[in-house]
């Protein structure tokens, strides 16, 4: 964690992604007027995994869970109003 005497650039960049230009400029002005300091917290992950479901790849544990949860429904007896 580091204390900054100015706005953290990533904070303002994130606001620009979510707001239109006029509102983002107003947001930045308000932040600069309101805060003398900001804390920047940096986290370095020790481990990460990326699952690309769009490419049709599913982790084995999820495939097994999906299969386990879908099996009882496939074999359930359908009841019709005449029964």
């Amino acid at each position: 964690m580091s204390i900054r005497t100015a706005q953290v650039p990533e904070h303002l960049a994130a606001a620009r992604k979510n707001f239109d230009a006029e509102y983002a400029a107003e947001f930045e002005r308000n932040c600069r007027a309101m805060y003398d300091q900001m804390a920047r917290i940096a986290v370095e992950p020790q481990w990460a995994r990326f699952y690309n479901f769009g490419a049709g790849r599913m982790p084995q544990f999820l495939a097994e869970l999906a299969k386990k949860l879908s099996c009882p429904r496939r074999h359930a007896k359908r009841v019709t109003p005449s029964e």
Side-chain angles (χ1 to χ4, degrees):
M1 182 172 80
S2 61
I3 303 297
R4 303 285 184 103
T5 57
Q7 293 296 305
V8 177
E10 297 90 344
H11 181 239
L12 298 175
R16 286 187 205 102
K17 286 182 182 180
N18 294 306
F19 303 140
D20 63 38
E22 183 181 337
Y23 190 83
E26 181 182 348
F27 177 82
E28 185 172 343
R29 279 192 304 275
N30 289 335
C31 284
R32 292 186 189 283
M34 185 177 291
Y35 305 112
D36 295 335
Q37 297 179 330
M38 285 191 96
R40 183 177 185 274
I41 301 171
V43 178
E44 184 177 320
Q46 298 297 311
W47 183 89
R49 175 172 282 171
F50 175 75
Y51 292 120
N52 187 356
F53 296 123
R57 286 175 248 159
M58 182 180 286
Q60 186 64 33
F61 76 94
L62 279 179
E64 290 171 5
L65 181 61
K67 184 177 179 182
K68 180 181 170 183
L69 293 176
S70 66
C71 286
R73 293 183 186 140
R74 272 194 233 152
H75 302 294
K77 182 182 175 187
R78 290 190 179 170
V79 178
T80 60
S82 62
E83 291 182 351

